[in-house]
Amino acid sequence: MAIATINPATGETIETFTALSEAEIATKLELAQQAFEQYRRVPMQQKSQWMNAAAKILERDKEKFGKLMTLEMGKTVKSAIAEVEKCALVCRYYAERAAEFLADVSVGTDASHSFVRYQPLGIILAVMPWNFPFWQVFRFAAPALMAGNVGLLKHASNVPQCALAIEEIFKEAGLPTGVFQTLLVGSQQVAAIIADPRVKAATLTGSEPAGASLAAAAGKQIKKTVLELGGSDPFIVMPSADIEAAASTAVTARMLCNGQSCIAAKRFIITEAIAEQFEKLLVAKFAALKVGDPMLPDTDVGPLATPSMLEDIDHQVQECVKVGAKVLIGGQPPAERAGNFYLPTIVSQIPVDAAIAQEEFFGPVALLFRVADLDAAIQLANATPFGLGASIWTQDATERDRAIAEIEAGSVFVNGMVKSDPRLPFGGIKHSGYGRELSIQGIHEFVNVKTVWIK
């Protein structure tokens, strides 16, 4: 993919960028290493001041950054501005809590004094996706930089201006030169960067194939990785649930980022007793969504990020139809509209054993399944190679506790939409990846957990 800003709502190429040469990459790596040697010794209070300054810049220019995201990848401008605000939140969270999270932990042993100390590793490479072009970066950068590491960002090739803007935010905030740098490089250049001995670890948010490729490259170098990959999150609705609230939240959960979110609800698993009621509500709410220019404040669903994403989601829907599924609403791009738009779609009666039912649907398409009871719901929820998040709607304590215990996922939300929160660890299991971001667990991913024993 060319490194370029291409408006997904119109198809217009706004600006193209040239990938860095090997020599330019080498210069940036050397700058990062030199920066780390000094930055690792910067007092926590100073790092907190810089991180809080970054938060202020984000809030000051949230509309500018929001419009930039919308221009490059098509999410609605109202959701993009909210994303910038969330980035400020994570910056402040770690500015306030990093000292506590990284403090020495005394442990009683046979020593006169023994403790655990957390120390930075060095250069961390972050390979980040286009769907949350600011949030994905800041949820890595805030803890990593507060821990004393330095960051190199390889962002998705369709959001280069977002990538450059984030580097400028950290510069304006006062962080020393080289502590956070954007690398405009193609995916084929990543393995060589990981192989450089100055790079100590890597994190990737993206597709399963991309994660496997990065993990393989890092594994050859015995370097740690954190992976946050795809998801096919179940959204279970039981008879005791508030059906109206569940249906309303279902729309929001599915249309997050125009349906292009790893933690978007994708498989709606509804018990037979309330399936008709829920289905009618969901169809009506999908029909009311406004598809259009993502720069307009009243738009609900914007375009998909790239033409290939549009082709992929349409192909998946047609494959569902081929195996006997029924399209209740949508199922095609809107007529006579330029850009990568796809109508909000609900597909039902998909055979659970069909190959297509195992795939992640990255677009505004809800898959609707009916089950007899909680046993069947949990079985279907787990019948996926993914394990990122899950949501269950019930007022029954026994059902709630069983879902929490038995659903195979990195998170379970009860009577609410799956979301990330700086205060809670975020990540998945199975093919959704490994490691955790956010909270105390996130800042501990890229540190040396050093044991100290003194007599």
Side-chain angles (χ1 to χ4, degrees), residues 22-289:
E22 289 185 14
E24 290 170 322
I25 294 171
T27 298
K28 287 184 176 289
L29 281 166
E30 181 58 29
L31 179 60
Q33 183 60 35
Q34 291 175 1
F36 174 66
E37 295 304 329
Q38 300 301 318
Y39 185 70
R40 67 187 303 176
R41 298 178 176 86
V42 171
M44 185 65 72
Q45 183 179 6
Q46 178 61 74
K47 294 200 289 282
S48 293
Q49 290 176 4
W50 288 332
M51 197 59 65
N52 278 320
K56 291 179 181 178
I57 295 166
L58 287 161
E59 290 175 335
R60 182 194 71 198
D61 294 336
K62 62 184 179 181
E63 291 191 4
K64 179 181 77 172
F65 296 137
K67 289 178 180 178
L68 180 59
M69 277 191 269
T70 299
L71 173 68
E72 290 203 302
M73 53 70 61
K75 69 171 53 188
T76 62
V77 71
K78 59 187 176 185
S79 66
I81 292 171
E83 179 174 333
V84 179
E85 293 172 338
K86 190 173 182 179
C87 292
L89 181 69
V90 79
C91 287
R92 286 203 172 91
Y93 175 78
Y94 281 108
E96 295 170 1
R97 303 297 297 276
E100 171 194 345
F101 291 160
L102 298 172
D104 290 350
V105 178
S106 294
V107 180
T109 68
D110 57 339
S112 302
H113 181 38
S114 52
F115 59 93
V116 175
R117 174 163 292 175
Y118 301 102
Q119 295 181 313
L121 297 179
I123 300 174
I124 312 298
L125 173 66
V127 180
M128 292 290 134
W130 47 261
N131 56 340
F132 291 90
F134 269 58
W135 170 244
Q136 308 278 20
V137 176
F138 277 93
R139 78 179 187 192
F140 149 74
L145 300 184
M146 286 303 301
N149 297 298
V150 301
L152 292 178
L153 170 63
K154 187 278 180 223
H155 219 323
S157 296
N158 59 329
V159 289
Q161 293 191 58
C162 287
L164 294 170
I166 293 169
E167 180 178 344
E168 288 303 313
I169 289 168
F170 283 122
K171 284 183 180 178
E172 184 182 346
L175 273 82
T177 300
V179 169
F180 186 93
Q181 298 180 82
T182 285
L183 306 180
L184 292 183
V185 297
S187 57
Q188 73 279 4
Q189 296 171 282
V190 170
I193 295 170
I194 292 175
D196 190 290
R198 292 166 293 191
V199 176
K200 303 304 181 186
T203 181
L204 178 143
T205 299
S207 69
E208 185 182 344
S213 175
L214 179 115
K220 290 180 181 178
Q221 307 298 327
I222 321 298
K223 294 181 181 180
K224 180 174 182 177
T225 53
V226 169
L227 303 181
E228 195 269 279
L229 309 178
S232 187
D233 286 11
F235 188 104
I236 299 170
V237 185
M238 301 302 295
S240 64
D242 181 334
I243 307 303
E244 174 63 40
S248 294
T249 304
V251 177
T252 304
R254 187 64 199 98
M255 294 301 153
L256 187 65
C257 195
N258 305 331
Q260 302 164 117
S261 169
C262 52
I263 56 169
K266 299 185 176 81
R267 296 178 298 136
F268 296 84
I269 301 171
I270 318 301
T271 44
E272 286 283 1
I274 45 90
E276 287 290 340
Q277 179 187 359
F278 183 88
E279 183 179 294
K280 288 177 181 178
L281 280 170
L282 197 64
V283 169
K285 291 177 185 297
F286 268 48
L289 292 169

